[in-house]
Amino acid sequence: MPRFSLQTKVLVLIITLIMLVTLLFTAINAYFESKDVEEQVGERALQVATTLSFMPSVKAAFANENPVNIIQPIAEEIRKFIGAEFIVVGDKESVRVAHPDIEKIGKKMVGGDNDRALIEAEYYTSKAIGSLGPSLRGKAPIFNDEGEVVGIVSVGFMVEDIRSMIFSKLVKISGASLFVVFIGIGGGIALARNIRKDTLGLEPHQIASLYRDRTAILSSIREGIIAMDKTGKISLMNGSARKILGLQADTESRQIEDVFPNTKMYDVLLSKNTGQDEEFVLNNRQVIVNRTPIMDGDEVVGVVSSFRDKTELNEMIHTLSEVRQYSEDLRAQTHEYTNKLYVISGLLQLGHYQDAIELIQKESQLAANQHKVLLDQINDRTVQAIILGKIGKASEKKVTFEIDENSYLEPLPEKVDIAKLITILGNLIDNALEAVADQTEKHIVFFATDLGEDIVFEIADNGPGLPEENIDCIFKQGYTTKTHHEQAHGYGLAIVKETVEDLGGHLEVHTQPNGGAVFTVFIPRVHR
């Protein structure tokens, strides 16, 4: 089936409607016009007939022996003056005493519509077929001085002439109607072109296809997309934008600053300049924002802004950094044990067997104590790998890393992602190592258990602890107490807190009475 353009559909619809309305109007007008013309002609015929019937000369002529000589000239003169087809005067027997055709004088009037005048003495109009053809007639009785009906006057206009009069008027009406049709066609063409301009030359099926494609594209994009018109009201927002901004209800037609504060989209609206890769913090999440003006020719009619969540990227980078750090920690641990093996080898070569035995026993006892808890009581391989790496790192930094002997941990549920676990434990232990860096005796205690409804990890250090006024701030992005550290970014604990909450858990921190901080992580076995 052929697909017609929008312009064709609009033109066909408008022209069809105008033609139907015009034809209907013309038909109705023609009907009433014909009725009106007939009524006017009939009234005119009746008035002339009535006037002629009241003329004294006409009345007196019926008392004369030869009324034809008196009435015929009068009737003809009046007929020619008013333009009637005929004026016929008859006596009370309907015998003509005046007629446009002299040869028909003295003969009976034709039509059979004289009784109402001659018998009932009425004035009326009628249609009948006379000797000259179908005609519209005005009939009037003629009375003598005694009030008796002595004759009849019939003034007639031919039906064909009346139709000609009606047709002449209809031609004028049709001319006006045709003018209206042309005006309507011109208006339809202008309207169709205007609609086509507003739709950028696209047909309805193309617009529908673009709308479907746009909806699918916006739904598939992980970046947030938000657009506003030139008044600052939101005209579009995809699902990713609602998720990042934490919005649930419909936001269209709301002001942009109520939903997306500090966006600087108004600056783009005024300056027409784009904004590229600018960082903002929205709902405690870092986002990278791009802004582009929406142009209509040279006029800015709106602004569209895209923003992507940088938090996940930061988490991935941090996780990769942690994995690399674990590799370095293991390398450091290998390096440390290699050095100890060289010392033992040297002692043996020098014959100091007792010293070598004591060093081996000391290291063996230390390793046995650590590994007994780590390998016998903590049965999750990921946690074992993390702790082994951190033990090596702590040993290199001369920090005593103790695993609480009461620790007990079964393999963790699958919902506890390895990357998230590395992020949580790696950041907390690294923070503890940095916290004790300036202490004379450096000590860290790690504890883990899953005996209750929650999986619990606890990292305690003997560092300077945390001031009470700072405890509420340490989990905010950008906040740090490491003012002397070259990598003090203030993102580690914020990422830890967010990762713990993603697992449905929570994080607690407090300062010990004898100094040092304790971080406790609670992760539910079942996400709630």
Side-chain angles (χ1 to χ4, degrees):
M1 183 177 178
R3 183 174 281 169
F4 296 101
S5 67
L6 177 63
Q7 187 170 357
T8 302
K9 292 179 181 179
V10 171
L11 281 176
V12 170
L13 177 62
I14 291 177
I15 292 172
T16 302
L17 287 176
I18 291 176
M19 292 292 292
L20 287 175
V21 172
T22 303
L23 287 174
L24 182 62
F25 172 77
T26 302
I28 294 173
N29 199 33
Y31 173 78
F32 286 107
E33 190 66 30
S34 64
K35 292 292 183 181
D36 188 53
V37 169
E38 283 190 8
E39 186 177 346
Q40 289 178 4
V41 172
E43 288 293 330
R44 185 178 180 187
L46 182 59
Q47 288 176 2
V48 172
T50 302
T51 301
L52 189 60
S53 71
F54 279 100
M55 292 180 64
S57 56
V58 174
K59 288 183 177 183
F62 280 95
N64 196 297
E65 292 182 359
N66 191 8
V68 175
N69 294 333
I70 299 172
I71 297 175
Q72 176 68 11
I74 296 173
E76 277 300 295
E77 184 178 357
I78 295 174
R79 182 187 69 80
K80 292 177 181 179
F81 179 77
I82 66 172
E85 186 66 27
F86 61 85
I87 294 180
V88 178
V89 181
D91 59 16
K92 61 181 179 180
E93 301 298 331
S94 294
V95 177
R96 301 186 185 100
V97 295
H99 195 281
D101 187 354
I102 298 175
E103 294 181 357
K104 294 181 179 179
I105 295 175
K107 296 179 180 179
K108 280 273 189 176
M109 297 173 68
V110 179
D113 56 345
N114 290 345
D115 290 347
R116 290 174 60 189
L118 294 175
I119 298 174
E120 299 177 11
E122 292 183 13
Y123 298 87
Y124 57 94
T125 59
S126 68
K127 281 184 180 180
I129 299 176
S131 59
L132 298 178
S135 59
L136 179 63
R137 310 170 176 195
K139 301 281 186 175
I142 302 173
F143 296 92
N144 59 16
D145 294 338
E146 287 76 25
E148 297 174 350
V149 177
V150 294
I152 184 173
V153 178
S154 179
V155 178
F157 293 87
M158 302 304 294
V159 171
E160 184 176 347
D161 293 338
I162 295 173
R163 289 174 180 172
S164 297
M165 295 169 61
I166 294 171
F167 180 76
S168 178
K169 290 194 174 185
L170 288 181
V171 169
K172 294 179 181 179
I173 294 173
S174 299
S177 300
L178 192 61
F179 176 75
V180 171
V181 170
F182 282 120
I183 293 294
I185 292 174
I189 293 174
L191 176 62
R193 287 179 177 174
N194 184 261
I195 293 174
R196 188 173 180 82
K197 179 182 177 182
D198 291 342
T199 59
L200 303 178
L202 298 174
E203 297 298 327
H205 67 277
Q206 293 174 311
I207 296 173
S209 178
L210 283 175
Y211 179 80
R212 289 192 298 268
D213 294 345
R214 188 199 72 161
T215 302
I217 291 170
L218 289 176
S219 299
S220 64
I221 294 176
R222 294 192 64 185
E223 288 190 354
I225 304 291
I226 186 169
M228 75 173 192
D229 59 24
K230 58 184 178 181
T231 65
K233 290 184 177 179
I234 296 173
S235 57
L236 178 146
M237 180 182 290
N238 69 345
S240 296
R242 287 191 175 89
K243 182 178 179 181
I244 294 173
L245 296 172
L247 301 173
Q248 299 295 332
D250 187 16
T251 56
E252 291 190 6
S253 299
R254 289 178 60 183
Q255 291 296 128
I256 187 70
E257 59 267 20
D258 296 337
V259 176
F260 198 175
N262 304 321
T263 179
K264 296 184 180 179
M265 291 177 74
Y266 280 110
D267 296 343
V268 178
L269 192 66
L270 298 175
S271 66
K272 302 183 183 179
N273 296 326
T274 59
Q276 298 292 333
D277 296 330
E278 296 185 17
E279 291 191 19
F280 285 91
V281 176
L282 292 174
N283 291 341
N284 295 322
R285 301 180 74 89
Q286 269 193 307
V287 295
I288 300 175
V289 181
N290 293 294
R291 296 176 297 275
T292 304
I294 303 172
M295 306 297 295
D296 184 9
D298 294 331
E299 182 185 1
V300 180
V301 296
V303 179
V304 61
S305 177
S306 66
F307 47 95
R308 57 186 182 272
D309 193 348
K310 190 181 177 185
T311 306
E312 293 181 0
L313 182 61
N314 285 339
E315 290 177 356
M316 182 180 68
I317 293 173
H318 190 77
T319 301
L320 291 175
S321 176
E322 287 292 325
V323 172
R324 184 177 64 182
Q325 186 64 49
Y326 297 147
S327 176
E328 293 176 356
D329 291 345
L330 291 173
R331 188 180 299 112
Q333 188 178 26
T334 302
H335 182 265
E336 183 181 359
Y337 275 100
T338 301
N339 289 335
K340 291 178 180 179
L341 287 175
Y342 284 142
V343 172
I344 294 171
S345 176
L347 290 174
L348 291 175
Q349 291 178 22
L350 293 172
H352 302 300
Y353 304 115
Q354 186 61 38
D355 292 338
I357 292 171
E358 290 178 359
L359 178 59
I360 292 171
Q361 289 176 342
K362 180 180 178 181
E363 290 297 324
S364 176
Q365 184 64 36
L366 179 62
N369 292 338
Q370 292 285 1
H371 290 175
K372 182 179 185 303
V373 177
L374 182 62
L375 300 178
D376 295 345
Q377 296 176 215
I378 297 178
N379 299 314
D380 185 83
R381 294 180 180 179
T382 304
V383 177
Q384 288 175 349
I386 295 172
I387 299 306
L388 278 173
K390 293 305 179 183
I391 287 174
K393 185 175 182 180
S395 177
E396 184 181 10
K397 293 186 176 184
K398 307 305 178 184
V399 177
T400 303
F401 193 103
E402 179 186 347
I403 303 174
D404 193 303
E405 63 181 12
N406 294 316
S407 296
Y408 183 84
L409 190 67
E410 290 292 334
L412 298 180
E414 292 183 0
K415 78 179 187 70
V416 182
D417 184 70
I418 293 176
K420 292 182 178 180
L421 191 61
I422 292 172
T423 298
I424 296 169
L425 297 182
N427 272 290
L428 292 178
I429 295 174
D430 283 347
N431 278 352
L433 290 173
E434 292 177 5
V436 301
D438 298 329
Q439 301 299 109
T440 304
E441 291 187 7
K442 306 168 184 179
H443 190 74
I444 296 175
V445 178
F446 174 81
F447 172 76
T449 183
D450 60 357
L451 296 180
E453 294 183 357
D454 294 329
I455 302 165
V456 181
F457 296 104
E458 187 173 88
I459 295 93
D461 63 66
N462 66 335
L466 295 168
E468 290 294 331
E469 62 271 15
N470 292 345
I471 289 180
D472 294 334
C473 303
I474 60 174
F475 298 114
K476 293 182 179 179
Q477 284 190 358
Y479 180 85
T480 179
T481 58
K482 307 168 189 175
T483 55
H484 65 285
H485 199 284
E486 62 180 5
Q487 293 183 344
H489 299 302
Y491 293 120
L493 289 178
I495 293 175
V496 169
K497 183 175 186 293
E498 185 175 338
T499 306
V500 171
E501 290 176 349
D502 285 344
L503 294 173
H506 66 280
L507 177 62
E508 295 181 359
V509 59
H510 65 273
T511 300
Q512 301 183 87
N514 57 347
V518 179
F519 288 85
T520 308
V521 176
F522 298 89
I523 301 174
R525 290 175 177 275
V526 180
H527 192 77
R528 52 178 181 264

